[in-house]
Amino acid sequence: QLALSVSLEDVISYPKLSKAYFGFIEILFRNHKKTVFALDTNIFMQLMTGVHEGIQSSDATLSSLCANTVDHLATFFFNTNGKEKIEMHNLNKHLAAQPNLFSSLTATLFNLLLFGPPQNHWAVIRPMLSLMLASETSFTAYKNHLISSQNPENQGKLNEALNKLLTDVNRSLDSANRDRFTQKLTAFRVAARSFLTL
């Protein structure tokens, strides 16, 4: 309750407070999912709005904490979807009320990867595989949007770069697959930034 009583604007304004705030939220999503997902949807979405803002912070520590929070959420959804668990039931209730949550996070992370400052690069990579597996439709929608924003020559290059990104990536979140995807994302970023236009 105390964390929620502070406005997001104030949290972002004070570096020490923001690190404590987002560090607390990251621990909640890592170790106390039952408690977090049992929150009222408005409160849950207030937390996620803060996390969404925090990912875009120029402070690498903050964006990393928030990216890890997204990873905990997406990993849980991917691993537990379809199972009879109270946590999953509660999470689905939040997602039904805010159906664009995964798609907006996907778009933000990819935009930061492709167009953001280099210091955020490693922070935002962490949740990308879990988010793509949790919501493949969100990734497809972002991919189509990005391709449509480019000229015909770049569309071909981008399609090729995206196909390379997805080659040999399994529907799994084991560490070997995560590492492989991280390397591919880094190569994709370098390739795409050489020709993408805003």
Side-chain angles (χ1 to χ4, degrees), residues 157-177:
K157 289 180 186 173
L158 187 54
N159 227 347
E160 193 181 324
L162 283 161
N163 288 337
K164 271 189 193 164
L165 171 65
L166 300 173
T167 308
D168 300 328
V169 176
N170 309 319
R171 284 185 52 76
S172 150
L173 288 172
D174 63 56
S175 55
N177 198 44

Side-chain angles (χ1 to χ4, degrees), residues 105-117:
L105 287 168
T106 300
T108 297
L109 287 167
F110 266 95
N111 284 338
L112 282 170
L113 181 76
L114 293 170
F115 307 112

Side-chain angles (χ1 to χ4, degrees), residues 55-61 63-64 67 108-128 165 181-191 193:
I55 283 174
Q56 300 168 76
S57 167
S58 56
D59 183 319
T61 306
S63 56
S64 189
T108 297
L109 287 167
F110 266 95
N111 284 338
L112 282 170
L113 181 76
L114 293 170
F115 307 112
Q119 68 265 28
N120 279 35
H121 167 207
W122 286 109
V124 301
I125 275 182
R126 174 81 186 153
M128 289 176 111
L165 171 65
F181 190 67
T182 296
Q183 289 168 356
K184 284 173 161 289
L185 269 175
T186 304
F188 169 71
R189 179 180 186 270
V190 171
R193 281 171 70 106

